[in-house]
Amino acid sequence: MNETGRPQDFPLSNPRADRVRKVAQLAGRPARLKRSEFLAEGPQAVREALTLHQKRVAAGEPGVVYEVYASEACLDRHPDLETLAEGIDAYLTTDEVLAAMADTVTPQGILAVCAFLDVSLEQVLDAGPQLLAVLCQVRDPGNAGTVLRAADAAGADAVILTASSVDIYNPKAVRSTAGSLFHLPVVLGADIAEVAAACRARGIGVLAADGDGDVNLDTLQDENAARRIAGPGVESLFALEGPTAWLFGNEAQGLSEDELALADHRVAVPVYGAAESLNLGTAATVCLYASARSQKA
Amino acid sequence: MNETGRPQDFPLSNPRADRVRKVAQLAGRPARLKRSEFLAEGPQAVREALTLHQKRVAAGEPGVVYEVYASEACLDRHPDLETLAEGIDAYLTTDEVLAAMADTVTPQGILAVCAFLDVSLEQVLDAGPQLLAVLCQVRDPGNAGTVLRAADAAGADAVILTASSVDIYNPKAVRSTAGSLFHLPVVLGADIAEVAAACRARGIGVLAADGDGDVNLDTLQDENAARRIAGPGVESLFALEGPTAWLFGNEAQGLSEDELALADHRVAVPVYGAAESLNLGTAATVCLYASARSQKA
């Protein structure tokens, strides 16, 4: 931002400019991987990206936002974004340029080019996590983003995606996280057997969410409640209040037999009605909230 | 089905035929409204449609499936569908014809033309429901379908959509229900004030899911658990185990002040992490499962 209060006096207006093309390429995985950059689109995502950026910079760490592109109308509606963009390369653009840069059909007036955020499994485990969500071969970007947002809401400490999962930096996945991607660490390309072994070595219980599971989540919750009231004498299969990693499987096939075998228990979310199964987002929500309630109680 | 075991000897193969065009029109709302018909696509949805159809016919009621179109390969993979289609006009088609009929880019080999399923508010209330999900001005078909599926899983007795909500017969909404649309009654075009008044008149509590709500869902659950253990002497704001209608608002704006004013309480789903809010499906899942657990305990 310059001293006139607006990033520059004249907006970028040529949708065929090189700079515009370079940003637009980030909708595709090859450009993202090559440059280790991705797009955050819309006021909510950009606000969370900028907030994390400023927090990191204030702590002497590298920032996460490289460039911000915004229409004047958007900055008028969201003046806080201009303040948050302090110190970052920011450019006023026309709506036409934003449309050419953005992945969405109706861009929301602002986007940011961000640095990859993922961290190593060790970094996550060294921080002593209480609640982890592990996505195994999840293929749909909307589902992955929704689970990440639910994990954030449930207070999970990190989300781990295995290799052959969808790219969390896919614009649709980023959108589905509604900013949560900037709230909690993600680990990408993990090996599920390594994750399970590393969790177990650190005393983190491993539960598999499985429609055919032999342990009912209600039972675990009831045992937890009983133990809270009657004390540690109550027998229980699994201490839901202890550190826990939940494994969630592919949206169509669920967890494979090999993946299920890595868990301490196969836990079924109760279906009270006639639904044959739960969708991934619903199942993950119920499991993670059950853990959160037990852990925070 | 004829006696050769397959609907006919030669498949429908002309994607420009009148019959194909008529089915394809059901992807659009005008044709659906004019004919009171909608499309169920894919083996899972068609299986649930046919199961409901046969149950109704066996009970002497009108069926729900008018026509089934399927590829030979699909029937080979799902022989149960052929049995279920007994007595229904069923046609073998080429993949090209299915692609021309279906709303999806990759049709799943089978689709059914179904009769509208919605019932009146009175029908739902006369059945003495314990748990209702009311969607107010929900706009996204995927969200509406996801909530309907979650409501089915939670054992809700019906889903009510207000006027100006998305059309639940939209193909994307139908797909998102994963067959649940055929499991529980839906009421369409309801007036939210009438719903609230009718519920209250029948002793059904009305709760609004509201991020800014002054009552925490955890508190209601804890009070419910305490009452179960200590008996009815425990004071509580709301009897979560009693008949309950949950109001869920528009995905972007939530419930309006007018809608919120109709509820007995404004209930917030706890956010344990940094997420600013929950998406509609996540919020509805947590609320409906909290009620289900309290009611079935």
Side-chain angles (χ1 to χ4, degrees):
Chain A
M1 301 276 167
N2 64 22
E3 286 166 56
T4 69
R6 281 290 147 92
Q8 64 193 33
D9 291 330
F10 299 102
L12 294 180
S13 60
N14 177 9
R16 281 164 302 279
D18 254 20
R19 174 188 292 276
V20 177
R21 204 178 37 78
K22 274 200 75 177
V23 173
Q25 283 170 348
L26 293 175
R29 191 164 152 84
R32 289 199 296 274
L33 284 180
K34 192 170 159 203
R35 285 144 55 185
S36 297
E37 291 174 0
F38 72 102
L39 277 185
E41 299 174 80
Q44 187 186 22
V46 173
R47 181 177 293 114
E48 301 308 311
L50 291 172
T51 303
L52 177 63
H53 177 93
Q54 300 297 4
K55 211 169 82 179
R56 292 240 180 126
V57 169
E61 295 166 22
V64 299
V65 180
Y66 293 133
E67 294 163 2
V68 173
Y69 298 91
S71 72
E72 189 145 21
C74 179
L75 293 182
D76 285 341
R77 273 195 310 277
H78 304 282
D80 65 311
L81 293 175
E82 208 164 332
T83 315
L84 274 171
E86 195 87 27
I88 293 166
D89 287 340
Y91 303 90
L92 273 187
T93 58
T94 61
D95 285 336
E96 200 190 355
V97 160
L98 279 170
M101 285 176 161
D103 177 67
T104 41
V105 186
T106 51
Q108 298 172 274
I110 190 164
L111 55 82
V113 175
C114 302
F116 278 5
L117 298 164
D118 51 284
V119 299
S120 71
L121 181 61
E122 282 64 40
Q123 275 178 275
V124 161
L125 295 178
D126 286 349
Q130 289 299 297
L131 184 56
L132 298 171
V134 185
L135 303 193
C136 305
Q137 302 188 48
V138 169
R139 297 277 199 263
D140 178 76
N143 283 343
T146 299
V147 174
L148 196 146
R149 184 175 174 189
D152 181 23
D157 297 291
V159 172
I160 298 166
L161 287 93
T162 64
S164 75
S165 295
V166 69
D167 182 1
I168 197 71
Y169 298 124
N170 171 308
K172 183 158 191 266
V174 175
R175 269 197 300 282
S176 301
T177 72
S180 286
L181 182 56
F182 301 100
H183 292 162
L184 76 174
V186 283
V187 176
L188 301 182
D191 178 275
I192 178 68
E194 274 176 34
V195 171
C199 283
R200 198 157 292 118
R202 293 171 192 245
I204 301 169
V206 181
L207 296 181
D210 174 25
D212 301 320
D214 50 348
V215 176
N216 189 300
L217 184 61
D218 273 358
T219 308
L220 293 185
Q221 291 189 85
D222 287 344
E223 288 174 352
N224 177 271
R227 201 164 46 245
R228 263 187 281 153
I229 293 157
V234 176
E235 270 193 50
S236 73
L237 269 171
F238 182 85
L240 212 51
E241 72 276 22
T244 303
W246 277 100
L247 311 185
F248 302 110
N250 173 278
E251 40 272 89
Q253 274 90 42
L255 291 162
S256 69
E257 273 307 314
D258 286 352
E259 290 164 346
L260 287 168
L262 297 169
D264 299 331
H265 298 285
R266 304 174 182 199
V267 180
V269 173
V271 172
Y272 299 109
E276 235 184 273
S277 64
L278 300 166
N279 84 358
L280 175 61
T282 303
T285 297
V286 175
C287 293
L288 294 170
Y289 261 83
S291 283
R293 251 180 79 73
S294 297
Q295 293 183 347
K296 321 278 170 180
Chain B
M1 301 277 166
N2 65 21
E3 286 167 54
T4 68
R6 280 290 147 92
Q8 63 193 33
D9 290 331
F10 300 103
L12 294 181
S13 60
N14 177 7
R16 281 164 302 279
D18 255 18
R19 173 188 292 277
V20 176
R21 205 179 35 81
K22 273 198 74 175
V23 173
Q25 283 168 348
L26 293 175
R29 192 165 152 84
R32 289 199 297 272
L33 284 180
K34 191 169 160 204
R35 285 143 58 186
S36 296
E37 292 174 0
F38 72 102
L39 278 185
E41 300 174 81
Q44 187 187 22
V46 173
R47 181 177 293 113
E48 302 307 312
L50 290 171
T51 303
L52 177 62
H53 177 92
Q54 300 297 3
K55 210 170 84 180
R56 292 239 180 126
V57 169
E61 295 166 22
V64 299
V65 180
Y66 294 132
E67 295 163 0
V68 173
Y69 298 90
S71 71
E72 190 145 20
C74 179
L75 293 182
D76 285 343
R77 273 195 310 276
H78 305 281
D80 66 311
L81 293 176
E82 208 162 333
T83 315
L84 274 172
E86 196 87 29
I88 293 165
D89 287 341
Y91 304 89
L92 273 187
T93 58
T94 61
D95 285 336
E96 200 189 357
V97 161
L98 279 170
M101 285 176 161
D103 177 65
T104 41
V105 186
T106 51
Q108 297 173 274
I110 191 164
L111 56 81
V113 175
C114 303
F116 277 7
L117 298 164
D118 51 284
V119 299
S120 71
L121 181 61
E122 283 63 40
Q123 275 178 274
V124 161
L125 295 178
D126 286 349
Q130 288 299 296
L131 184 57
L132 297 171
V134 185
L135 304 193
C136 304
Q137 303 188 48
V138 169
R139 297 278 198 263
D140 178 77
N143 283 343
T146 299
V147 173
L148 196 146
R149 183 175 175 189
D152 181 23
D157 297 291
V159 172
I160 298 166
L161 287 93
T162 64
S164 74
S165 295
V166 68
D167 181 2
I168 197 72
Y169 298 124
N170 170 307
K172 182 157 192 263
V174 175
R175 270 198 299 283
S176 300
T177 72
S180 286
L181 182 56
F182 300 99
H183 292 163
L184 75 174
V186 284
V187 176
L188 302 182
D191 178 274
I192 178 69
E194 274 175 34
V195 171
C199 283
R200 199 158 292 118
R202 293 171 191 243
I204 302 170
V206 180
L207 296 181
D210 173 25
D212 300 321
D214 49 348
V215 177
N216 189 300
L217 184 62
D218 274 358
T219 308
L220 293 185
Q221 291 190 86
D222 287 345
E223 287 174 353
N224 176 271
R227 200 162 50 244
R228 264 188 280 153
I229 293 158
V234 175
E235 270 194 50
S236 73
L237 269 171
F238 183 86
L240 213 51
E241 70 277 23
T244 303
W246 277 99
L247 311 186
F248 303 111
N250 173 278
E251 41 271 90
Q253 275 89 42
L255 291 162
S256 70
E257 273 307 313
D258 287 351
E259 290 163 347
L260 287 168
L262 297 167
D264 299 331
H265 298 284
R266 306 174 182 199
V267 181
V269 173
V271 172
Y272 299 109
E276 234 184 277
S277 64
L278 300 166
N279 84 357
L280 174 61
T282 302
T285 296
V286 175
C287 293
L288 294 170
Y289 262 83
S291 284
R293 251 180 80 73
S294 296
Q295 293 183 347
K296 321 279 171 181

